[in-house]
Amino acid sequence: MDLQLIAMQLLSGAVLGAVLVMTALGFTIIFGMLGVVNFAHGALFMVGAYAGVAVAMQTGSFWWALLVAPIAVGAIGLLIERLLIRPLYSRPPDDPILLTFGLGYVLVEGVRIVFGNDGIPFSTPSALVGVVNLGIGYFPIYRLFVIGVVAFILLLLWLGLEKTRFGLIVRAGARDPQIMRVLGVDMRRLWFLVFGLGIGLTALGGVLAAPMRNVSPEMGTIVLAEAFVVTVIGGLGSIAGAVVAGILVGLVVSMTSLFAPEMATISMFALMALVLLIRPQGLFGRAGV
Amino acid sequence: MKGKHDKFKSPTRRQVIGGIGMGTATALLGMPLVARAQSEPIRIGFPTPLTGPFGAEARDQVKSAELAVKQFNDAGGLGGRKAELLVRDDKLNAGEAATRTLELIEKDKVHAVVGALSSAVQLAVNQVTRARSTLYISISQSDTINEVKDWSRYTFHEALNPHMTTAAVAKHTFKKGMKIAYLAADYAYGHEMLRGFKRAQAAIGAASVGEILHPLGAPDYSTFLPRISAMKPDILCICNFGRDQANSIKQAVEFGMKQQMKIVVPVLLHNQRLAVGPEVFEGVVGGANYYWGLEETIPSAKAFNNAFRAANNGAIPTDYGAYGYTGVKSLLQAITAAGGTETDKVVAALEGLKYDVAKGPQSYRKCDHQSIQSVLVLESKKKADMKSDVDLFRVVATEQSGEAMLRTCAELGFPA
């Protein structure tokens, strides 16, 4: 086992981690701010990928797909919040879980009706095809591009949440919505926008994943599980936690692939169980939340 | 596979007595039933995974099976007696498949079962039909179904098996002294294909440089690829099915593996190639039971394609779809030869049957009931070489399997 291979393995793990962060981001934001466990997350991820396919077919450009599909699906997210989630805010937390669980099925079947059961081809944009020599081995350019996009989105999110008035309200609202209401903040409008943002990010994850993973109606199933694992390890609702957890999961999966490849998927869940035993609130979570 | 039989408890005393009672009752009531049996339709149960990841292949199977039944009925059936196809969704789940099959046998009183698309589900169906002494034409790849411990006198394996598939593919891709790396899905199908390839590899004189088992349904293969790359193989042999095949090839290509090695798969899937596109699959070689392009050389393929096109708005039959046709067709031919649906007579007719319905001559071997048939070795075409949207593959070779490509009866554990 030479050092070069281990370095390469660490790198692929970190990149896989970035992909996982991207797939989990929308889930963790919606959970953190609204307290809604979005079981339709995987389905909306898939809808994002299909929206990307549709836009790319119309315009012939990956870049339009990357821009338009998340906005369009984010708008669908706004509609879902307004029509389906909002009536359930005063109800017990299992109600939105049941609702989004069912919604996931509806979306998957809807896509099956429109696009068929088979997968749909989605090529890597021609500018990003190929591999680049990193000194320790060859790595796909597209995956490096994905890291760049994820870093950019995280930077925007951080600036938005930490440096703007809107971000301040969102953070305060996540901590104590009642006080915010007393202070005269319209929490409904806030939740509406945050939900849309979360779904838009989920869809962006779908579009980014499309050139790497097969685009099919079932592609979201595993994504929901991945997002759940990353969110739980990182601490529910913590964006920094999701980033650290995503990369940690990526590294653990990658190292397991090297030494016990058939355990690669299980290792992710084993890590989650371990974290829950030692630190039940997750790496970055606040106790009691 | 071990412990599969444990699921079925041996009958209790009460069940045995009940069974004898039932048997006598049936024998007594049987007299008037014989007269009725002449006019009642021939019922064929057809469990297949309509929902789930193999849905596309399953629907193709149903279309092809319906075509075989329609042709039989249009030709007048069995002296006026028509056939009927009872399609059931097995949801790609062994338990579900066993329940549906039991219903088909006990409630719908089918005369035979044809179907199942996944090897594990097929073995579950086989358990039920074997226990109920019901005819079963199995149409999914499996080696164990040929072996003594899973064998049933009432089961006929119409599909290819991993042994013959891998032997044919290896013959046209592996060369003496080559280094082969394997990436296989960690379940029955992957293990059986891996076993087949390694056997062929030893016979050819190639060497394995490493085997990696990946979890079934893994969405990301990037973490397996650096290790494969470090093995520096001449051939990367990817033994998985359905979307796993599409995903793993897509990502291997993304990592530039195709520039360093050739990618070989046991079964090159028509629907997955459509789902991923020509650029990714270009140059990938694998086996198949059927490809519509056979019509250029084989008359029965041309007849099957034309009938399928006429019934399905010009669509062409696919690989796993064709199993639905060859499976049902061979059963109905045997029923015609036997002159009825009496199980023992149909078994005898199937054992002696020579049929050519879609891909050239086929027949069932007596000892293990494996269908002796050709294995196609296909190569995925470059986009520029495709004459139409469905012109996917080039036929590298049509390997006439014969007995030579099967394991011998003695090797499978059958008495000589």
Side-chain angles (χ1 to χ4, degrees):
Chain A
M1 201 81 33
D2 55 318
L3 275 174
Q4 201 175 336
L5 176 58
I6 291 179
M8 194 62 191
Q9 203 72 39
L10 285 171
L11 177 68
S12 8
V15 176
L16 177 65
V19 176
L20 288 174
V21 172
M22 196 61 235
T23 61
L25 213 47
F27 184 82
T28 200
I29 285 178
I30 289 176
F31 186 85
M33 307 299 164
L34 280 72
V36 171
V37 182
N38 178 18
F39 270 83
H41 174 78
L44 284 157
F45 181 88
M46 177 274 298
V47 169
Y50 271 93
V53 169
V55 175
M57 277 199 291
Q58 286 298 317
T59 60
S61 155
F62 171 78
W63 306 105
W64 278 113
L66 196 61
L67 186 72
V68 176
I71 294 174
V73 179
I76 297 175
L78 292 178
L79 274 179
I80 293 173
E81 198 278 344
R82 184 67 195 79
L83 301 175
L84 300 173
I85 308 282
R86 188 172 295 185
L88 302 181
Y89 279 141
S90 51
R91 306 258 209 105
D94 355 351
D95 284 21
I97 292 183
L98 284 175
L99 178 104
T100 51
F101 195 78
L103 181 66
Y105 277 104
V106 172
L107 289 171
V108 170
E109 285 304 322
V111 167
R112 278 193 185 136
I113 291 167
V114 178
F115 291 92
N117 245 8
D118 307 349
I120 284 195
F122 193 102
S123 310
T124 312
S126 50
L128 302 172
V129 170
V131 287
V132 57
N133 191 349
L134 296 176
I136 49 168
Y138 291 89
F139 212 79
I141 297 167
Y142 184 76
R143 285 197 186 232
L144 299 175
F145 165 76
V146 170
I147 299 193
V149 175
V150 174
F152 179 68
I153 295 287
L154 287 171
L155 182 69
L156 283 187
L157 269 181
W158 181 77
L159 287 176
L161 282 174
E162 300 291 330
K163 303 286 171 199
T164 65
R165 191 178 150 72
F166 177 74
L168 185 71
I169 296 172
V170 168
R171 278 183 295 139
R175 195 155 294 194
D176 197 334
Q178 204 159 2
I179 292 285
M180 292 307 286
R181 246 186 245 117
V182 170
L183 291 174
V185 177
D186 182 359
M187 288 308 289
R188 291 198 158 194
R189 196 173 140 264
L190 191 67
W191 285 338
F192 178 65
L193 293 175
V194 169
F195 194 86
L197 174 71
I199 301 300
L201 285 173
T202 303
L204 178 65
V207 182
L208 283 173
M212 294 183 282
R213 298 179 179 186
N214 195 5
V215 180
S216 72
E218 291 86 16
M219 71 185 291
T221 319
I222 189 100
V223 169
L224 176 63
E226 287 170 347
F228 210 83
V229 168
V230 168
T231 306
V232 169
I233 293 177
L236 298 174
S238 161
I239 293 176
V243 173
V244 173
I247 290 171
L248 187 65
V249 170
L251 290 174
V252 167
V253 168
S254 185
M255 280 336 222
T256 329
S257 303
L258 189 56
F259 297 108
E262 58 271 49
M263 302 292 169
T265 305
I266 301 273
S267 64
M268 179 163 92
F269 296 99
L271 179 66
M272 179 172 84
L274 192 71
V275 169
L276 283 179
L277 278 175
I278 298 169
R279 210 180 139 78
Q281 70 271 35
L283 298 178
F284 284 67
R286 278 171 288 131
V289 173
Chain B
M1 287 307 128
K2 220 182 212 173
K4 266 224 145 150
H5 305 284
D6 303 351
K7 272 194 215 145
F8 293 91
K9 284 185 223 142
S10 54
T12 62
R13 190 180 58 96
R14 193 173 289 202
Q15 280 168 333
V16 171
I17 295 172
I20 293 169
M22 285 288 280
T24 326
T26 331
L28 288 173
L29 289 170
M31 306 297 256
L33 274 178
V34 173
R36 226 189 67 196
Q38 296 306 325
S39 54
E40 69 165 351
I42 301 165
R43 285 181 297 271
I44 304 169
F46 200 84
T48 190
L50 288 171
T51 48
F54 301 168
E57 282 87 357
R59 265 195 303 281
D60 283 345
Q61 279 194 340
V62 172
K63 281 184 204 157
S64 303
E66 279 171 345
L67 178 63
V69 167
K70 186 175 173 295
Q71 287 177 341
F72 177 79
N73 290 341
D74 288 351
L78 177 65
R81 197 175 160 195
K82 299 288 170 74
E84 199 182 349
L85 194 71
L86 288 82
V87 179
R88 298 289 182 269
D89 186 7
D90 70 30
K91 300 183 181 160
L92 203 62
N93 175 308
E96 180 81 19
T99 314
R100 293 283 90 82
T101 307
L102 200 58
E103 267 176 23
L104 282 167
I105 296 171
E106 300 288 337
K107 200 169 125 261
D108 300 310
K109 309 271 184 239
V110 294
H111 298 99
V113 177
V114 181
L117 219 159
S118 149
S119 51
V121 175
Q122 165 177 280
L123 292 172
V125 172
N126 190 42
Q127 295 284 350
V128 176
T129 53
R130 182 162 78 159
R132 296 286 183 291
S133 305
T134 304
L135 271 171
Y136 176 38
I137 313 283
S138 56
I139 51 174
S140 149
Q141 289 236 6
S142 172
D143 270 334
T144 60
I145 206 161
N146 294 133
E147 289 163 15
V148 162
K149 67 179 169 65
D150 274 310
W151 187 79
S152 153
R153 152 158 213 270
Y154 306 101
T155 299
F156 289 79
H157 193 235
E158 215 288 321
L160 301 175
N161 63 34
H163 180 79
M164 64 205 277
T165 309
T166 52
V169 173
K171 185 177 165 189
H172 293 278
T173 48
F174 293 12
K175 301 265 173 335
K176 195 174 163 64
M178 271 188 169
K179 290 182 288 181
I180 323 278
Y182 296 95
L183 178 64
D186 191 14
Y187 77 118
Y189 178 90
H191 297 166
E192 288 196 11
M193 290 298 180
L194 182 60
R195 190 176 66 166
F197 271 123
K198 283 174 70 185
R199 193 179 141 125
Q201 159 210 306
I204 291 167
S208 164
V209 287
E211 296 154 27
I212 296 178
L213 292 176
H214 74 75
L216 178 60
D220 198 287
Y221 295 81
S222 64
T223 56
F224 303 114
L225 299 173
R227 201 170 137 205
I228 293 172
S229 201
M231 292 171 187
K232 302 208 182 328
D234 300 305
I235 288 179
L236 168 60
C237 195
I238 303 181
C239 306
N240 52 20
F241 193 82
R243 302 245 159 88
D244 285 3
Q245 178 175 84
N247 269 334
S248 52
I249 294 182
K250 196 169 179 176
Q251 290 170 26
V253 171
E254 189 196 345
F255 273 77
M257 310 285 269
K258 235 163 41 178
Q259 279 80 46
Q260 304 164 44
M261 60 200 80
K262 186 162 189 65
I263 297 179
V264 168
V265 296
V267 177
L268 192 56
L269 292 164
H270 191 112
N271 285 320
Q272 297 309 326
R273 155 59 190 80
L274 284 179
V276 173
E279 295 86 1
V280 170
F281 266 59
E282 181 187 327
V284 174
V285 175
N289 59 311
Y290 187 75
Y291 175 57
W292 71 276
L294 280 182
E295 68 181 12
E296 283 169 23
T297 50
I298 297 177
S300 58
K302 185 157 199 154
F304 170 44
N305 287 344
N306 288 341
F308 193 92
R309 285 190 187 108
N312 297 290
N313 301 322
I316 46 133
T318 62
D319 39 18
Y320 270 68
Y323 279 137
Y325 188 75
T326 49
V328 172
K329 200 93 175 163
S330 69
L331 173 71
L332 288 171
Q333 284 193 1
I335 288 176
T336 307
T341 46
E342 205 184 310
T343 304
D344 285 328
K345 283 189 186 160
V346 182
V347 167
L350 278 163
E351 284 179 345
L353 189 69
K354 301 257 179 285
Y355 61 108
D356 176 1
V357 294
K359 55 179 291 195
Q362 290 180 256
S363 62
Y364 290 105
R365 182 162 73 166
K366 187 120 193 341
C367 72
D368 62 349
H369 290 173
Q370 170 62 40
S371 175
I372 299 176
Q373 58 184 302
S374 60
V375 183
L376 309 181
V377 181
L378 306 175
E379 183 179 39
S380 196
K381 281 190 178 179
K382 229 193 271 183
K383 196 171 184 183
D385 295 343
M386 289 170 57
K387 292 191 196 77
S388 71
D389 282 352
V390 290
D391 183 20
L392 309 181
F393 305 130
R394 179 174 75 84
V395 180
V396 177
T398 306
E399 197 60 41
Q400 294 305 334
S401 96
E403 285 237 38
M405 281 189 107
L406 299 177
R407 290 172 294 174
T408 63
C409 294
E411 196 181 334
L412 294 170
F414 294 99

